Amino acid sequence: MSIEIPPGLTELLQGYTVEVLRHRPSDLLGFAAEYFARLRDARDQEAAGGGRRVVSFDGEPMQTESNGEEEPDRGDEDSDSDFEPPVVNRYNRRVSVCAEAFNPDEEEEDTEQRVVHPKTDEQRCRLQEACKDILLFKNLDQEQLSQVLDAMFERKVKPQEHVIDQGDDGDNFYVIERGLYDIVVAKDNQSRCVGRYDNHGSFGELALMYNTPRAATIVATTEGALWGLDRVTFRRIILKNNAKKRKTYELFIESVPLLKSLEASERMKIVDVIGEKVYQDGERIISQGDKADCFYIVESGEVKILIKSKTMTSKEANQEVEIARCHRGQYFGELALVTNKPRAASAYAVGEVKCLVMDVQAFERLLGPCMDIMKRNITHYEEQLVAMFGSSMDLLDPGN
């Protein structure tokens, strides 16, 4: 008996699958019912008005047909954007997510040919130095990290060169060795710079993780050097490792009060970019006066916050005074990131401590919705310092 697939069924199911992967709903049945109901309504509207079909799902337009001839949508909003909602160029674009069958949760034997780009000893040293603080690599074992480094390739860039373009498919993940790079987002036919990478960091991971178009354009403003990792290797190693990490961390992240205001999809992105660090009793986690580079959430253990106050007498000036303690689910290190000032206090481990760590680029990119909460906490910190030292000068002018 031969079974004929009805015309349009493949495209219909592909469209639904894409939205499931983008939104990651907890209730698949309810999500499907709402998706197809809106699709039907859009079809009825098209029949009545003769227009092109676009379904709005949770405020996000979704294209239900693509033949490479229509004009790009204007004013699209994509809640899975790294920065701000991009205007996606849909010319000659078809979503490729369904063509790339990959389930990171499957424990299947790795049979794919490994990618290896030969490197000199000097290149290998530069690559290892560039990658040493990349959080996505922190949870890899030594064999996985070695495979990743083998697969990475060097790319030199010139001023004004576009490394990636908003709306394009994700092909590579990039680690910065040197150079300055602007993050440019186009919205409502206007482009603006929303951030900058300064000689370190990484970008391009979310488009590979979620099979979404690039959410921003990265433009080199100086000569520079990057290390790229191809899509297949990234998904085979990094994504599978992150799937294991997600199972471990997602319930914990949901319990953190600061992050409760985020959508589930936003919390999952945080799971994908955080790393774990373990500190021993008495070990200093951050130092007063240092430049801020990370945000910390206590996973287990206790952290004490100490400060050297400028309002103390000269005899007491070098003594640190404890001002707070952080426990499981609480966070620290955000103040310097919010105010763009040096660290206002030091943090030490009390016993063994495990912290989830997010670098400054991911903090700025993903925790925008939480910024008001963190800014309100500054007032609480000021009141605390006034009560202890009679002044909040240490927040206004932090440092050693």
Side-chain angles (χ1 to χ4, degrees):
M1 180 180 69
S2 63
I3 299 175
E4 182 178 349
I5 298 176
L9 177 61
T10 301
E11 290 77 9
L12 185 69
L13 294 179
Q14 281 183 345
Y16 170 66
T17 304
V18 169
E19 294 309 313
V20 168
L21 292 173
R22 291 177 62 204
H23 292 270
R24 298 181 180 271
S26 56
D27 180 5
L28 277 174
L29 188 60
F31 187 87
E34 188 173 355
Y35 173 83
F36 288 112
R38 291 183 183 231
L39 204 61
R40 180 192 59 204
D41 293 343
R43 180 199 62 189
D44 294 343
Q45 290 174 8
E46 181 194 25
R52 174 172 162 265
R53 279 192 289 162
V54 174
V55 180
S56 177
F57 199 91
D58 291 340
E60 298 186 33
M62 301 185 300
Q63 185 172 336
T64 60
E65 292 181 339
S66 176
N67 57 17
E69 299 298 329
E70 66 267 16
E71 292 184 358
D73 292 343
R74 300 174 192 266
D76 281 8
E77 294 188 359
D78 184 353
S79 65
D80 283 339
S81 159
D82 292 21
F83 309 93
E84 289 194 0
V87 178
V88 180
N89 178 8
R90 303 190 191 275
Y91 282 116
N92 299 316
R93 167 181 298 284
R94 293 194 66 85
V95 179
S96 59
V97 61
C98 294
E100 186 174 27
F102 179 80
N103 183 356
D105 294 316
E106 290 181 356
E107 296 292 339
E108 58 187 22
E109 190 68 26
D110 186 3
T111 58
E112 289 196 30
Q113 184 73 27
R114 292 180 180 175
V115 178
V116 177
H117 291 279
K119 301 172 183 68
T120 65
D121 290 343
E122 183 266 342
Q123 284 180 309
R124 189 83 176 189
C125 287
R126 288 192 288 112
L127 174 58
Q128 290 175 329
E129 180 66 22
C131 292
K132 69 177 183 180
D133 293 321
I134 302 301
L135 287 177
L136 278 173
F137 297 166
K138 291 290 186 183
N139 294 309
L140 300 179
D141 59 35
Q142 195 56 47
E143 182 182 357
Q144 290 172 324
L145 181 60
S146 180
Q147 289 182 34
V148 167
L149 297 182
D150 284 343
M152 297 186 80
F153 58 91
E154 188 173 15
R155 175 175 172 181
K156 300 289 182 65
V157 295
K158 298 178 180 179
Q160 303 310 311
E161 181 177 342
H162 287 212
V163 182
I164 62 176
D165 285 294
Q166 182 175 332
D168 282 357
D169 285 324
D171 52 0
N172 297 309
F173 167 68
Y174 290 99
V175 173
I176 297 169
E177 180 184 338
R178 57 181 172 83
L180 302 179
Y181 304 83
D182 282 345
I183 306 164
V184 180
V185 172
K187 182 181 179 183
D188 297 332
N189 295 322
Q190 292 186 342
S191 297
R192 66 187 184 94
C193 181
V194 299
R196 168 175 284 195
Y197 293 103
D198 186 353
N199 286 291
H200 66 88
S202 61
F203 56 86
E205 73 279 10
L206 293 183
L208 303 185
M209 287 177 173
Y210 296 102
N211 281 297
T212 53
R214 297 292 195 189
T217 297
I218 306 295
V219 183
T221 58
T222 65
E223 288 190 358
L226 302 162
W227 291 94
L229 180 65
D230 68 277
R231 179 189 188 91
V232 173
T233 305
F234 180 93
R235 292 175 66 79
R236 178 173 58 84
I237 299 178
I238 307 295
L239 207 56
K240 180 167 286 191
N241 188 72
N242 267 31
K244 295 178 182 177
K245 184 177 71 172
R246 177 181 285 119
K247 291 178 181 178
T248 303
Y249 292 152
E250 60 186 8
L251 290 178
F252 173 71
I253 289 295
E254 288 176 5
S255 71
V256 176
L258 173 69
L259 307 178
K260 285 185 179 295
S261 62
L262 297 178
E263 298 292 334
S265 61
E266 294 173 318
R267 288 197 295 268
M268 287 305 97
K269 286 184 180 180
I270 290 174
V271 170
D272 286 329
V273 299
I274 56 176
E276 183 184 78
K277 288 189 177 181
V278 179
Y279 301 92
Q280 301 306 316
D281 184 40
E283 187 175 352
R284 184 160 56 188
I285 302 172
I286 60 176
S287 299
Q288 182 175 343
D290 283 358
K291 182 180 179 181
D293 57 357
C294 289
F295 167 72
Y296 301 83
I297 301 173
V298 181
E299 183 183 3
S300 65
E302 186 178 24
V303 174
K304 60 181 179 181
I305 310 299
L306 288 85
I307 189 171
K308 294 178 184 177
S309 176
K310 295 182 177 64
T311 59
M312 292 180 173
T313 63
S314 58
K315 183 179 180 180
E316 301 170 317
N318 289 323
Q319 295 181 356
E320 292 183 315
V321 177
E322 183 175 328
I323 60 173
R325 292 213 173 195
C326 297
H327 303 87
R328 177 179 170 85
Q330 295 182 307
Y331 58 91
F332 61 96
E334 85 289 357
L335 180 62
L337 299 179
V338 172
T339 61
N340 291 314
K341 293 180 179 179
R343 297 290 193 192
S346 298
Y348 296 86
V350 179
E352 184 179 89
V353 173
K354 288 183 181 180
C355 288
L356 301 185
V357 185
M358 180 184 300
D359 66 30
V360 61
Q361 289 87 9
F363 176 88
E364 293 172 346
R365 193 170 63 201
L366 299 176
L367 290 188
C370 302
M371 201 63 71
D372 287 341
I373 298 174
M374 290 184 280
K375 286 180 178 178
R376 286 199 298 270
N377 285 343
I378 295 178
T379 302
H380 171 70
Y381 298 150
E382 290 175 341
E383 293 171 351
Q384 196 174 12
L385 290 181
V386 169
M388 294 184 69
F389 305 119
S391 168
S392 61
M393 180 193 308
D394 299 301
L395 280 188
L396 302 175
D397 183 22
N400 290 313

